[in-house]
Amino acid sequence: DAGITQSPRHKVTETGTPVTLRCHQTENHRYMYWYRQDPGHGLRLIHYSYGVKDTDKGEVSDGYSVSRSKTEDFLLTLESATSSQTSVYFCAIRPGLAGGHSYEQYFGPGTRLTVT
Amino acid sequence: GEDVEQSLFLSVREGDSSVINCTYTDSSSTYLYWYKQEPGAGLQLLTYIFSNMDMKQDQRLTVLLNKKDKHLSLRIADTQTGDSAIYFCATRHSGGYNKLIFGAGTRLAVHP
């Protein structure tokens, strides 16, 4: 258990409304990631963070923004939700480089978002 | 760009071995991973292999890596119904902040 929680776990929202998803970790990891999972696509990286206030875009960042004001929280915001953003969203962390450098990521339980 | 491909579905009988295959395009991938996802859950790291290895064994799991062909496989010995899940292959992107590139996942169905 990597100490990752996501909230909410399920959300239904209407097109055009703003939505914020939260990822919270308890172990002070520097690197955090947001992915979306869609059938036939596996997981695709939306945004990632390499420290407080340090974020960068992934491969599918259009329509999404992120913020990281504290080490433990990484927020994903859909400024104006669209039906194409209906998906399951996963947060992940990467432990630091102490010890072995296998660079693995550990995932939260996911948030299922439906945009109607 | 980088790509990871997997077959989408595999059906095996309980007690048999399962082999899930993956091909990738990024020849500079340093680490390759296998994750398992059960229904309604997040991804669980099963195992990984470093690119200077060609085999890694961990209890019922055996990972084989053929760097020349850019082919990775996961063998599950004595497959059980609890192994039914989606299995994702992922490679560590050679640049940037540890981005992982995932395949679409292979759904493993285990039947009696």
Side-chain angles (χ1 to χ4, degrees):
Chain A
D1 183 359
I4 308 168
T5 57
Q6 294 185 232
S7 58
R9 294 293 315 278
H10 301 270
K11 185 166 181 70
V12 179
T13 192
E14 292 184 350
T15 297
T17 60
V19 177
T20 295
L21 308 182
R22 180 181 183 236
C23 177
H24 178 78
Q25 54 138 335
T26 58
E27 299 184 13
N28 234 27
H29 298 300
R30 179 180 172 194
Y31 295 92
M32 299 183 75
Y33 306 82
W34 276 108
Y35 292 88
R36 60 178 289 174
Q37 181 181 23
D38 304 288
H41 289 280
L43 274 76
R44 293 180 291 175
L45 182 66
I46 305 171
H47 281 280
Y48 60 97
S49 170
Y50 45 98
V52 173
K53 292 187 169 46
D54 291 323
T55 65
D56 205 348
K57 296 179 180 180
E59 59 180 309
V60 291
S61 60
D62 286 349
Y64 301 94
S65 62
V66 289
S67 65
R68 192 162 177 208
S69 58
K70 298 184 290 185
T71 299
E72 59 266 35
D73 289 325
F74 192 30
L75 305 181
L76 177 71
T77 297
L78 291 66
E79 301 289 347
S80 177
T82 67
S83 59
S84 64
Q85 294 175 311
T86 292
S87 187
V88 181
Y89 292 86
F90 287 99
C91 172
I93 59 91
R94 170 163 79 81
L97 297 182
H101 294 190
S102 55
Y103 302 97
E104 70 271 19
Q105 294 181 16
Y106 294 93
F107 287 80
T111 294
R112 183 173 294 276
L113 176 67
T114 302
V115 184
T116 62
Chain B
E2 298 87 0
D3 195 21
V4 176
E5 293 195 355
Q6 303 177 236
S7 52
L8 294 183
F9 188 74
L10 177 66
S11 178
V12 299
R13 186 172 304 192
E14 192 174 11
D16 288 350
S17 291
S18 308
V19 180
I20 302 171
N21 294 300
C22 170
T23 58
Y24 59 96
T25 58
D26 184 1
S27 57
S28 60
S29 296
T30 53
Y31 285 90
L32 302 101
Y33 309 87
W34 283 105
Y35 283 86
K36 176 185 180 182
Q37 184 182 35
E38 297 182 3
L43 275 71
Q44 171 195 354
L45 178 68
L46 281 180
T47 188
Y48 63 89
I49 189 166
F50 186 48
S51 58
N52 70 351
M53 302 167 65
D54 51 23
M55 186 179 87
K56 180 179 180 181
Q57 188 147 4
D58 184 358
Q59 299 182 339
R60 292 191 297 123
L61 305 179
T62 303
V63 178
L64 296 178
L65 175 61
N66 181 327
K67 279 194 71 177
K68 174 175 168 290
D69 294 337
K70 300 195 197 78
H71 182 267
L72 182 73
S73 67
L74 174 69
R75 177 177 180 268
I76 306 173
D78 186 25
T79 311
Q80 302 298 308
T81 55
D83 296 322
S84 294
I86 302 175
Y87 291 81
F88 291 93
C89 168
T91 64
R92 177 175 179 254
H93 181 54
S94 55
Y97 292 95
N98 192 51
K99 298 179 209 180
L100 298 187
I101 309 297
F102 284 84
T106 299
R107 183 178 295 275
L108 174 65
V110 182
H111 57 87

